[in-house]
Amino acid sequence: MAHAGGKVILFGEHAVVYGVPAIAAGIDRGATAVARHDAAAVLLVGETRCERGDGSDLGRAFDALLGALGADQISVDVQVQLPLGCGLGGSAAIAVATARAVLELIAPSEAGEDAARRRRVLDAATAWEQVFHGNPSGIDAAAAASGGCIWYEREHGPSALAVGCPLDLAIGVAGPPASTKEMVDSVARLKARRPEIVDKALQGIRALVRNARLCIESADVIGLGRLLDLNQMLLSGLHVSSEEIERACRLAREAGALGAKLTGAGGGGAVIALTAGDADAVLAAWQAQGIQGFAARVEATVGTQTGAPT
Ligand code: PMV
């Protein structure tokens, strides 16, 4: 059985598509997959079934993933522990868990996942993600494949980020998800129409991502919370927020969160709130207003050097 976690983008979504660095963190909830040799190549994700290359998006993605791994007649059963399509990296977690399960079957390794094997998993997951997102920055697949907290640049890929103290997050699903591709396209349209607005927002996000990195490394959670709020303001300026997202962020702050923002593509979907060590008050405030959520902790790293390859 193979597992891959989901992810939250702490800072820099959308801007990362234009080369601005972003910061993401893996979360435990994700997907587990089991692979077996089979006459057909069937992928079962919960109740959803497809066959390799059957013309459905899932079938095409499965075909791309198996092709990237050089695998043939293999069926995979996947169980998902995350709400899908909400910006929590469910699709990338499925891809990474599936790729790991397939490799376990066709190339069992006693040594675990070394750098070369991680590269194969990431390439296969990227091939899968391209079917759904067209032009993904790659941050989802990178976060699912590495876990931990990562600094991600489209051109250079991921590197590990040292985390000075645990980050306790409340993660809520603020509203129905929007399509990542549509949200990315809408920012591209805004950039074509009003480049001055988008370029200013991108500059602002670049500056706050740099500061967020310093806060994460130096365990400044108060500063980090403020930067989350600022990033949310800039994302609203890109028109990727929604009433539901703003409401969920407001509820979180009123319940004592240090900061809150959407995570992922926006337009609906998930929000994250940074808490001062206990996510329960935020989760209760959300629950009282019909917003489902769960707690996630980004663990502090001991002895990790920022910049070490993941
Ligand atoms: O797939 P999501 O919802 O986690 O969003 C991905 C983040 C974006 O920056 C909006 C798109 C991308 O490819 O990086």
Side-chain angles (χ1 to χ4, degrees), residues 7 9 12-17 85-89 129 133 135-140 152 154 178 180 183-184 263-266:
K7 66 94 188 57
I9 298 179
E13 51 274 272
H14 285 290
V16 68
V17 172
C86 291
L88 297 176
E129 287 285 276
H133 294 325
N135 181 26
S137 67
I139 189 169
D140 280 22
Y152 184 85
R154 189 165 195 169
T180 296
M183 298 313 294
V184 170
T263 184

